[in-house]
Amino acid sequence: MSIAQAKRFTLDEYHRLGELGFFHEDDHIELINGEIIEMASKGTAHETCLRNLLRELPKIVGDRATLQSQAPIALPPNSEPEPDFAILQNRDDNYLYGHPQPADVLLVMEVSDSSLGYDQDVKIPLYAKAGITDYWIFNLFDNYLEAYSEPYQDNQGRYGYSNKRIFLSNEVITFPCFPDLSLDLAKVFPPKLNF
């Protein structure tokens, strides 16, 4: 008896599907562990937090690194997430000749409301396995920042981060890649809405 199995894609196959016009321009998809994942639509708090980060991060980071938003990071062999923000090492070609690889990534940031479980359960092991040293989740559900660092692999082959710190929405956090730079979270988190 044979069991049906989902087709998993490599990065090359995923890119080829894009070249062939398989995806629509307005599709918000990612390749995660070989699966093409359609991302959920964003709520107003999510969009407000993104706008706040878009206003604050360029002022803070300046020319010291490359800032990208909702753009691919290649995690060979079969993942290409598009995190809400990533701080990357500057490169002479400004990534014209290829998407950033794990060695280029200084910090990955996701803004999470309805995607919180996914960003914790799927993205944490994904980024840790790739060796991305720092991962931040702007947790809009609990209204705090989850800062993950120190990726590891346990004896069962599972990946994660050994260090998790919580920063409340009224605190200031320094950037792990630039300890002299900090972000005032009060300027990022939208006010908590009561429904």
Side-chain angles (χ1 to χ4, degrees), residues 7 15 24 34 64 66 80 84 90 111 117 119 128 140 148 169:
K7 161 75 172 126
H15 291 162
H24 297 308
R64 293 176 69 174
T66 298
E80 193 172 275
D84 288 315
N90 287 330
V111 175
D119 291 337
L140 300 181
Y148 296 89
S169 60

Side-chain angles (χ1 to χ4, degrees), residues 64-85:
R64 293 176 69 174
T66 298
L67 181 66
Q68 76 175 26
S69 178
Q70 298 176 341
I73 295 173
L75 305 180
N78 60 0
S79 293
E80 193 172 275
E82 297 186 17
D84 288 315
F85 286 94

Side-chain angles (χ1 to χ4, degrees), residues 1 6-7 13 15 19-20 27 42 45 54-55 58 78 80-82 85 100 108 115 129 180 183:
M1 178 165 123
K7 161 75 172 126
E13 291 168 333
H15 291 162
E19 291 165 8
L20 293 171
D27 285 346
K42 300 169 179 71
L54 199 53
R55 183 177 47 247
N78 60 0
E80 193 172 275
E82 297 186 17
F85 286 94
V108 170
S115 65
K129 182 177 182 180
D180 58 319
L183 176 65

